[in-house]
Amino acid sequence: NAGVTQTPKFQVLKTGQSMTLQCAQDMNHEYMSWYRQDPGMGLRLIHYSVGAGITDQGEVPNGYNVSRSTTEDFPLRLLSAAPSQTSVYFCASTTLAGGPRNEQFFGPGTRLTVL
Amino acid sequence: GNSVTQMEGPVTLSEEAFLTINCTYTATGYPSLFWYVQYPGEGLQLLLKATKADDKGSNKGFEATYRKETTSFHLEKGSVQVSDSAVYFCACSDQAGTALIFGKGTTLSVSS
């Protein structure tokens, strides 16, 4: 199993540009999520999904869109990038069976810089 | 909502020293508690977890006990190694039991 994969690993954007961060998992997990990691802030939840066709907002959703058309994929879209979105982005997944006890599996991250 | 507070870093130790990283939580109900570790340039990986009061999670010489009376989940290791240098995050499950609420992270640096 590849686990959780993310592409690209690094990206530089100009203000106003759009892009999509890709996330895929091959563990048949129902739950997938996106976090951003900023210095001194820990990880903050952006959006999450509990299954194909179902998404919801986390703590910091503004400026980001998501969709979940398949169990495997959960892309994160920046419609008009802003310097405040400079961050490291992590995708994570877990199974919903067993509730809150489950380990979440993280991808390697995407380091995004917005100029 | 649920929240996590962990001690500020960085923590700098010599090899074989004793490590404690404090973590306290605020939550309704009975959240699960986790310690994740992030090595340089990598994503997060689960270090240990505990799912109910008085549970002790352990892995790679690290331990943490779920203390409901003090709402704490402190991370300890008796003898740290250079390879333990990383950022450590305390986390608890949210009220819905799916998302994780993270502390701000504590950077540990171990020198030989």
Side-chain angles (χ1 to χ4, degrees), chain A residues 31 35 37 40 90 100-101 104, chain B residues 36 38 49 97-98 100 104:
Chain A
Y31 180 87
Y35 292 88
Q37 182 182 22
F90 289 100
R101 306 176 181 188
Q104 296 215 18
Chain B
Y36 280 81
Q38 183 181 31
K49 69 177 184 181
T98 49
L100 291 174
K104 294 184 178 181

Side-chain angles (χ1 to χ4, degrees), chain B residues 11-89:
Chain B
V11 174
T12 303
L13 295 174
S14 298
E15 207 165 24
E16 299 184 4
F18 184 84
L19 169 71
T20 299
I21 300 177
N22 291 338
C23 172
T24 57
Y25 68 91
T26 302
T28 56
Y30 303 93
S32 293
L33 301 175
F34 305 84
W35 277 101
Y36 280 81
V37 59
Q38 183 181 31
Y39 298 104
E42 298 184 9
L44 279 71
Q45 54 187 275
L46 181 67
L47 180 60
L48 53 84
K49 69 177 184 181
T51 58
K52 61 182 187 294
D54 300 324
D55 263 3
K56 176 185 284 187
S58 61
N59 186 25
K60 299 180 181 179
F62 291 89
E63 293 183 340
T65 301
Y66 190 145
R67 301 286 189 198
K68 188 162 177 61
E69 64 276 13
T70 55
T71 62
S72 65
F73 193 55
H74 304 321
L75 182 68
E76 296 182 336
K77 186 174 185 182
S79 176
V80 294
Q81 305 300 312
V82 173
S83 57
D84 294 327
S85 298
V87 182
Y88 292 82
F89 292 93

Side-chain angles (χ1 to χ4, degrees), chain A residues 78-99:
Chain A
L78 284 70
L79 299 178
S80 179
S84 61
Q85 294 178 304
T86 294
S87 188
V88 181
Y89 292 85
F90 289 100
C91 180
S93 74
T94 188
T95 177
L96 290 178

